[in-house]
Amino acid sequence: MGNFQLKLVLLLFTVCAALSTLSTAQDFKCSAQTAARCQALVGYLPPNKTTISEIQSLFTVKNLRSILGANNFPPGTPRNFSVPAQKPIKVPIHCICSNGTGVSDKVPVYTVKKDDGLDFIARTIFGQLLKYQKIVEANNISNPDLIQIGQNLTIPLPCSCDDVDNAKVVHYAHVVEEGSSFALIAQKFGTDRDTLMKLNGIHDDSKLIAGEPLDVPLKACNSSIRADSFDNYLRVANGTYTFTANSCVKCQCDATNNWTLQCEPSQFQPSSPNSRWKTCPSMLCGDSESLSIGNTTTSNNCNRTTCEYAGYNNLSILTTLNSLSTCPSKFKLSSHPLFCLNALQIYVLIVSLHWNTILSLQVHWLFI
């Protein structure tokens, strides 16, 4: 093989390896069962100043409150709330797992505009959350240079539904910043360096590429939601809130509450167009006439019973009672080891004093 041919082969090998890297660089592992679904988050970096409403439209998010809750903005934040350029905004997406990877479930859908190109759409419009090759693959585009104005494109954003170290998490697609490191990212999002590296299959900081999405696991609160509930996939990350049960219930996660999901009536009317509910169903627990979701009663000053959210179905909102006792443990003092030891010591002391007294009296009588 001549020198020119050898160089050509090496060049082709390099190009193929590069293309392979581009096509797999942003795959998030998702080993959950086939067609598993969950809620995930992506970190959007708007190229220009924008509004919450425009971000909602771009990512095809049905309810504005979903974005507000993901960023812990007040529920009353207006639609025209301004977002500066390059300020990261967490956007909730529905994730579906297939063939070992996770992607957003048929959303967002982007309509091609004049002068758009696939690379521009991926890199600029969607803030580097994916490469244009992913758009080509998801939409079966035969020629990436030929897209039409008005053409609707499915944007397959990276996500996952897997547990991490046997813990429930919300997977967050974080676009790596210039000069960042695994340690800095881990510290920022409350995880650890080794977990990040293992999850993303990267072994050192030199392989961390600025502008690439990284799978960051955000720890989620534990909940009482049942497996047969319509929202059994619901996971809420620390420092965020969400609305569920057709917007009738608000749930928030705060690590200071022992990593337990706190839910309460939202005070909103049902918002889903597919819902049979005209008003929100009862949220009372069992036969109680006053104990509803989020309420707690206390008896004996130490027994606490809380009405917790357990999910919903077509007909009702599901609830469950959770009891917690903070009463001091009851035990028989006479059976306690320390008490037995003390009692024995006291007995020996009394007997000893008794004999000392008798001996003293005997000695005293001898000298009389």
Side-chain angles (χ1 to χ4, degrees):
M1 183 181 291
N3 189 42
F4 174 75
Q5 290 176 315
L6 179 60
K7 289 182 178 179
L8 182 61
V9 170
L10 290 174
L11 177 62
L12 289 172
F13 178 79
T14 303
V15 171
C16 290
L19 290 175
S20 175
T21 301
L22 284 174
S23 64
T24 60
Q26 296 145 316
D27 287 340
F28 282 14
K29 296 177 184 177
C30 195
S31 58
Q33 61 182 357
T34 304
R37 286 176 167 80
C38 68
Q39 286 184 324
L41 295 169
V42 296
Y44 175 56
L45 298 171
N48 304 300
K49 182 179 178 181
T50 185
T51 65
I52 291 292
S53 178
E54 290 173 339
I55 294 174
Q56 177 192 5
S57 177
L58 176 64
F59 284 87
T60 326
V61 178
K62 290 183 179 180
N63 199 313
L64 182 71
R65 298 188 195 111
S66 300
I67 298 179
L68 299 181
N71 295 275
N72 207 25
F73 293 155
T77 301
R79 303 179 66 84
N80 61 353
F81 179 78
S82 180
V83 178
Q86 296 301 307
K87 175 180 172 58
I89 293 292
K90 294 185 178 74
V91 180
I93 61 172
H94 291 285
C95 182
I96 184 170
C97 296
S98 179
N99 299 321
T101 61
V103 293
S104 53
D105 190 8
K106 301 177 182 178
V107 289
V109 175
Y110 177 76
T111 302
V112 177
K113 299 176 177 59
K114 184 181 178 181
D115 297 328
D116 275 350
L118 290 179
D119 186 65
F120 176 78
I121 293 170
R123 188 185 300 273
T124 304
I125 301 298
F126 284 93
Q128 299 181 297
L129 284 167
L130 76 167
K131 288 285 193 296
Y132 80 86
Q133 289 89 345
K134 293 295 182 183
I135 303 176
V136 170
E137 181 182 331
N139 294 274
N140 297 315
I141 298 174
S142 57
N143 188 343
D145 295 324
L146 293 178
I147 55 174
Q148 304 297 321
I149 296 175
Q151 182 178 351
N152 289 330
L153 299 175
T154 299
I155 308 299
L157 301 173
C159 58
S160 178
C161 295
D162 285 353
D163 292 349
V164 175
D165 296 331
N166 298 318
K168 299 293 184 184
V169 300
V170 176
H171 288 264
Y172 173 60
H174 165 70
V175 178
V176 177
E177 300 169 297
E178 192 72 41
S180 191
S181 68
F182 279 109
L184 289 174
I185 296 171
Q187 183 180 23
K188 181 177 182 179
F189 293 105
T191 183
D192 63 83
R193 182 175 180 269
D194 291 341
T195 297
L196 276 181
M197 295 175 73
K198 180 180 178 181
L199 185 61
N200 291 275
I202 303 176
H203 304 295
D204 58 75
D205 286 335
S206 65
K207 301 294 191 297
L208 195 61
I209 303 173
E212 293 279 346
L214 191 74
D215 188 357
V216 178
L218 307 178
K219 187 174 179 180
C221 276
N222 299 313
S223 75
S224 299
I225 297 176
R226 291 168 23 175
D228 61 347
S229 170
F230 287 174
D231 60 353
N232 59 51
Y233 57 83
L234 185 67
R235 298 180 182 182
V236 185
N238 182 38
T240 69
Y241 67 86
T242 191
F243 292 89
T244 188
N246 297 320
S247 293
C248 287
V249 176
K250 176 188 176 185
C251 295
Q252 60 185 6
C253 176
D254 187 343
T256 60
N257 283 323
N258 198 31
W259 289 101
T260 300
L261 193 65
Q262 306 291 314
C263 298
E264 62 184 5
S266 68
Q267 310 304 325
F268 294 124
Q269 292 300 313
S271 62
S272 174
N274 299 322
S275 173
R276 300 178 182 178
W277 305 345
K278 293 183 179 179
T279 59
C280 293
S282 169
M283 301 186 201
L284 295 175
C285 263
D287 298 327
S288 173
E289 295 182 358
S290 58
L291 195 62
S292 62
I293 289 176
N295 293 150
T296 298
T297 61
T298 303
S299 61
N300 299 327
N301 295 321
C302 56
N303 290 316
R304 298 179 59 210
T305 300
T306 302
C307 179
E308 295 185 351
Y309 174 71
Y312 76 104
N313 54 36
N314 279 328
L315 301 176
S316 61
I317 290 178
L318 310 174
T319 60
T320 184
L321 287 171
N322 183 22
S323 297
L324 176 66
S325 177
T326 57
C327 300
S329 301
K330 295 180 179 180
F331 61 92
K332 293 182 179 179
L333 190 61
S334 60
S335 65
H336 196 277
L338 292 177
F339 177 82
C340 294
L341 181 61
N342 291 339
L344 179 62
Q345 289 175 334
I346 293 171
Y347 175 76
V348 171
L349 180 61
I350 292 174
V351 172
S352 175
L353 289 173
H354 174 73
W355 282 107
N356 285 339
T357 303
I358 294 175
L359 289 173
S360 298
L361 288 173
Q362 289 177 340
V363 170
H364 174 75
W365 282 106
L366 286 174
F367 287 95
I368 293 179

